[in-house]
Amino acid sequence: MCGIIGYTGNEAAAPLVFEALTKLEYRGYDSAGIACISEKGLEIKKEVGLLSDVDAKCNFSLLNGHVGIGHVRWATHGKVNAVNAHPHVDCKGKIAVVHNGIIENYQELMGRFKGKHKFLSETDTEILPHLIEDFMAKGKSLEEAVIETTRLIHGSYAFLAISSDCPEKIVGARKDSPLLVGLGESGSFATSDPGAFPAGTNRQAFVEDGEVFVMTPENICFFNPEGNLLQKEFSVFKGVPASAGKGEYDYFMLKEIAEQPDTLRCSIEQEKNFFTELAMDILRAKQVVITACGTSRYAALVGRYLFSRVAKKFCDVIMSSEFQYFSDSIDAATLVIAVSQSGETADVMEGVKRAKEKGAMTLSIVNRPDSLLTRISDKVIHINCGPEISVAATKSFTNQLAIFYLLAYSMVNQFDLAVKKINDISHNMSYSMNGTGEYIQQIAELLKDENDFYYIARGINYAIASEGALKLKEVSYIHAEGMPAGELKHGTLALIDKGVPVVAICPNDYTFDEMLNNMAEAKARGGLIIGVSDRYDPIYDHWIKINEVEEIFYPLVTIVPLQQLAYHLARSRGKNPDKPRNLAKSVTVK
Ligand code: F6R
């Protein structure tokens, strides 16, 4: 959520900063901006829109200078407009700041400056350059001013500050939002995501909570909150898996859906001994709680069924944003499993921190290597699906499911069997993708003007109904609800009217017969039934055929047509499924 980048070195800053922003755009894409310092002083260009549109309007390459900071925004405080876009400046236009996070006490701090400082935007961020300005006016250096500023602000932040009074220097600070620095041949970089470092940024270091750093072209030094110099180890940069382009696909979402048979096979590249050890941890724990948000939470719900059905171990799933309200019952005998693609979702991080405070053991299931979550968890499982670029999660979901199968089967000493079964399923997935794509596209064309969709299922497939509905909402902006089919008659049935699409996930498993009753109830009210099943029934108005698999493995094959349906409905409504409005790939605010 918001991406920041800073560069100081021998090369022109603007092109390097712009290039890095293209890799950070998944973090926010409602507006973008760059500030550089040249002999003329501080210059800023910022505008509303996708990065490429902003560049077309502003022409970032006109910015001169060898020091620059850049930002891609996902609005929290203040409308999406050019004034609220970052960088933000002080009264004299000498200091510029880019920020990811929320300064919670910004209004109180602004109150102190009433009449003394002029604020132009509605953002919380704008307090930062003014605080720095105030401290510098009292004779402090830029780094001293930043350290003083961090003592006053509350909330979460990763920010970078530059001042035309000390060109060449970038000062940064972080608390609860990701920030790393890197040293390369041409100079020094700081960014939210190591994937934004250009090639050759060989040495890197994480900025820890509360630390402040000063970057010059040749050197980066760190200070603790008290202002004392820290000795910091730089590690040799391992590199981040390159995020390949879209290839033959028009959108990353479709490419990532299609990649799933391959990425699923990567999920099973795990150490058997490690999973055996984790299985023991789960079985030994007095209570097991899984916490996650959005799509990752639906994967966790499938995990809950698997633990119960395969290993007879009950566990609960708590939405991370609600986790704090349950923390009274978390203790040292609890195992908390956090599931997160990005490994930096603020709500998940908060939950894991609380669990650790209570002495619970923490296990994370993560996609992004070296993410904040991997660094604070006791144990980590990597889902290995590679970079997921589209904002809507697809391949990370199926790999998270695969990890839950591996864990559940390990709990009954059948890790190898799970590996084999998942490997087999990956081939079934290929079938369902190739076999159904065009048909789903036709259904999408027929239903593109509908306002509401209902997704129903039972048992282990209920989470798939919820995930299917979430995908549809995200990328096509059609209202959708996913629910256990048996729950329909307890209220929602009132909304089923002539022609309302009801997507029924009804594989030929232990849920099929009861699903038929629930479909009949919907059909009797005029509902249009889209059956996702390997078994035909005349009740369907449209039948999306899937491959038959073993009962508890259906989620891995039923989700694929639902992802395709969401994608095609988005496209038939002219939406860009890779960058849905109001959303961002990484949600680093609470
Ligand atoms: C939906 C989606 C979101 C994320 C949620 C959690 O397609 O992507 O619902 O699943 O924001 O994100 P992670 O998994 O990164 O913690």
Side-chain angles (χ1 to χ4, degrees), residues 63-305:
L63 289 168
N64 293 315
H66 295 245
V67 57
I69 53 176
H71 188 269
V72 280
R73 181 170 188 242
W74 182 86
T76 57
H77 290 61
K79 288 185 283 294
V80 176
N81 62 30
V83 177
N84 290 335
H86 297 215
H88 289 283
V89 292
D90 67 325
C91 295
K92 301 194 192 76
K94 286 180 154 196
I95 298 164
V97 171
V98 288
H99 165 227
N100 168 29
I102 295 177
I103 308 298
E104 285 164 7
N105 58 337
Y106 75 104
Q107 279 168 325
E108 179 215 319
L109 292 168
M110 278 177 179
R112 295 190 198 179
F113 285 151
K114 227 175 186 162
K116 284 211 291 176
H117 286 249
K118 202 164 141 211
F119 294 95
L120 305 173
S121 77
E122 302 157 318
T123 66
D124 53 322
T125 300
E126 201 183 355
I127 190 63
L128 296 172
H130 291 275
L131 285 169
I132 296 169
E133 174 186 23
D134 206 57
F135 285 117
M136 287 183 81
K138 292 177 185 149
K140 304 274 183 197
S141 65
L142 179 59
E143 51 270 39
E144 286 167 342
V146 167
I147 292 170
E148 294 286 352
T149 297
T150 59
R151 290 181 185 149
L152 293 179
I153 56 180
H154 303 154
S156 61
Y157 53 82
F159 72 85
L160 303 174
I162 53 176
S163 164
S164 55
D165 282 343
C166 41
E168 295 219 322
K169 207 188 259 184
I170 298 179
V171 179
R174 139 176 147 79
K175 185 178 155 284
D176 293 337
S177 294
L179 189 58
L180 303 90
V181 293
L183 275 163
E185 275 163 27
S186 78
S188 309
F189 293 87
T191 183
S192 317
D193 175 351
F197 284 138
T201 315
N202 293 328
R203 292 190 301 134
Q204 72 166 44
F206 287 97
V207 184
E208 301 296 344
D209 262 358
E211 287 179 356
V212 170
F213 66 87
V214 182
M215 281 183 4
T216 59
E218 308 79 28
N219 193 24
I220 305 175
C221 54
F222 287 82
F223 298 90
N224 67 13
E226 288 72 48
N228 301 321
L229 196 61
L230 294 170
Q231 290 304 323
K232 190 108 172 171
E233 292 287 312
F234 279 69
S235 54
V236 177
F237 189 49
K238 293 193 276 317
V240 171
S243 60
K246 290 196 277 259
E248 68 197 78
Y249 297 92
D250 292 336
Y251 290 93
F252 279 107
M253 183 177 177
L254 193 59
K255 175 174 182 258
E256 288 163 2
I257 292 172
E259 274 171 2
Q260 288 176 110
D262 294 330
T263 50
L264 196 63
R265 285 188 279 275
C266 298
S267 72
I268 50 184
E269 285 166 17
Q270 306 285 350
E271 281 289 320
K272 181 177 176 178
N273 289 344
F274 180 49
F275 270 71
T276 309
E277 185 191 302
L278 295 173
M280 292 307 292
D281 292 335
I282 297 170
L283 290 168
R284 259 195 308 256
K286 186 189 79 187
Q287 56 176 359
V288 177
V289 172
I290 315 180
T291 187
C293 308
T295 292
S296 298
R297 188 173 72 89
Y298 295 134
L301 289 179
V302 173
R304 181 173 68 164
Y305 275 96

Side-chain angles (χ1 to χ4, degrees), residues 293-296 339-343 345 348 391-393 470-471 474 587:
C293 308
T295 292
S296 298
V339 191
S340 174
Q341 186 285 130
S342 62
T345 302
V348 181
V391 164
L470 178 64
K471 284 290 86 85
E474 266 187 292
V587 186

Side-chain angles (χ1 to χ4, degrees), residues 438-453:
E438 263 180 43
Y439 180 55
I440 292 173
Q441 199 169 348
Q442 287 164 17
I443 299 179
E445 204 45 51
L446 281 175
L447 301 181
K448 66 174 190 239
D449 297 321
E450 294 298 331
N451 294 322
D452 305 284
F453 274 64

